[in-house]
Amino acid sequence: MPPPPVNLPTVDHLAVLVVVDNTTDRSDLLGEHGLSLWVEADQGRLLLDTGQGEALAPNADRLGLPLQEADAVVLSHGHYDHTGGLPFVLDRARSARTFVHPSALAPRFSRGDAPPHRAIGIPEEAEAALRARPVTWTEAPTEVVPGVWVTGEIPRRTDFEDTGGDFYTDPECRQPDAIPDDQAVLVRTERGLVVLCGCAHAGLVNTLDYVTDLAGADAVYAVIGGLHLGRASPERLERTAEAVHRYGVQVLGPAHCTGPEAVRFFGTRFPEACVGCGAGTWFALT
Ligand SMILES: [Fe+2]
Ligand SMILES: [Fe+2]
């Protein structure tokens, strides 16, 4: 089935600030396993993800982030390391609309060596904060602010990409979790398409294939965010690099859960495009 049409005008201004990441070069910011990106476009500002909850508040204050003026808060998926900061964010961003795939609220677990297996879904307080006001549910592509869209569910078309881990929907870890809530943000600038990923559990190639379908484009200018390739096979890394090359990606910011080996691999393969992505990094994309 062809994807629904997306009206993706070219925005004149787009900047992305990494507010939370696993790493940071700045001594005045906190790093934590998590991701949060502040996005400024012509006609709106939004936060994509909120980290796991420790780093967001101090980093937002250090970076002078005007969270109270956010127009939207988007969750890339329902893992704790992207949603734990929601109570703080929604308390500050009183008028922001929220954009979430309904499956983000499902229980989910990561299998350890022995039970009890670890709950890794959205924390209770975060879910309560989310449910305290209207949510825009994003199974399908949805406009967040003018010119900025979130994909909704991303079709899984490749046969070499998985979700990147031992993920389950039940505490016994019997029912595999396909993480259908995984979604990316896309914006068109004069330089080309910009794609922001939370963890890219759908697979980076599936994500790039889908956003280019949605945009009617055959190239991608920038990819920033978590790419979840820590357990990727050499074949998957190679085929991911092929896609990055095919789409002509000029700015590649592998963040958060990409995995150090995959970051090194991309750095070697795309030395011109690959850039550090720790907390405090600004991307001027127009
Ligand atoms: Fe993550
Ligand atoms: Fe995740």
Side-chain angles (χ1 to χ4, degrees):
M1 215 169 59
V6 162
N7 174 22
L8 203 63
T10 302
V11 304
D12 291 329
H13 166 71
L14 181 69
V16 173
L17 171 62
V18 183
V19 185
V20 176
D21 182 60
N22 297 33
T23 64
T24 182
D25 292 337
R26 284 177 51 163
S27 58
D28 59 336
L29 297 177
L30 288 183
E32 72 176 16
H33 177 80
L35 186 73
S36 178
L37 303 176
W38 175 252
V39 182
E40 295 193 354
D42 295 354
Q43 293 183 57
R45 296 189 270 192
L46 62 112
L47 195 71
L48 171 63
D49 293 343
T50 69
Q52 60 172 282
E54 291 295 315
L56 185 67
N59 287 6
D61 287 340
R62 291 281 175 164
L63 293 163
L65 217 59
L67 270 178
Q68 64 285 354
E69 292 166 22
D71 299 292
V73 175
V74 179
L75 296 183
S76 67
H77 64 303
H79 281 158
Y80 74 101
D81 51 327
H82 298 255
T83 57
L86 265 181
F88 166 77
V89 171
L90 295 182
D91 186 54
R92 283 232 180 144
R94 293 292 171 97
S95 56
R97 296 172 64 208
T98 51
F99 295 79
V100 184
H101 187 289
S103 297
L105 301 180
R108 49 210 351 171
F109 300 85
S110 174
R111 187 167 61 189
D113 292 338
H117 300 298
R118 195 161 68 102
I120 59 165
I122 183 169
E124 260 174 48
E125 318 81 74
E127 179 169 348
L130 186 69
R131 288 191 186 277
R133 56 209 234 193
V135 177
T136 300
W137 301 109
T138 59
E139 283 120 317
T142 305
E143 190 171 45
V144 176
V145 298
V148 179
W149 284 68
V150 64
T151 57
E153 202 159 327
I154 296 171
R156 315 292 168 96
R157 296 179 186 145
T158 61
D159 60 4
F160 59 91
E161 295 184 296
D162 58 27
T163 55
D166 267 336
F167 300 125
Y168 298 86
T169 56
D170 60 315
E172 292 77 32
C173 289
R174 293 200 185 104
Q175 303 297 324
D177 183 1
I179 317 180
D181 39 316
D182 179 68
Q183 52 183 355
V185 163
L186 74 151
V187 189
R188 194 197 306 274
T189 74
E190 271 190 4
R191 296 181 187 182
L193 278 188
V194 174
V195 183
L196 308 177
C197 300
C199 279
H201 289 297
L204 180 59
V205 183
N206 281 327
T207 303
L208 296 182
D209 288 350
Y210 191 51
V211 296
T212 49
D213 273 3
L214 290 178
D218 54 13
V220 172
Y221 169 63
V223 177
I224 296 165
L227 305 181
H228 214 91
L229 293 166
R231 299 188 188 185
S233 65
E235 186 209 350
R236 178 172 175 182
L237 282 181
E238 197 54 55
R239 295 182 75 171
T240 303
E242 274 170 27
V244 168
H245 176 73
R246 185 170 69 248
Y247 285 119
V249 174
Q250 295 177 51
V251 176
L252 181 61
H256 174 42
C257 57
T258 301
E261 274 182 41
V263 171
R264 275 194 294 277
F265 170 81
F266 287 128
T268 308
R269 197 56 72 91
F270 305 103
E272 303 282 295
C274 203
V275 288
C277 213
T281 307
W282 261 107
F283 291 90
L285 297 159
T286 43

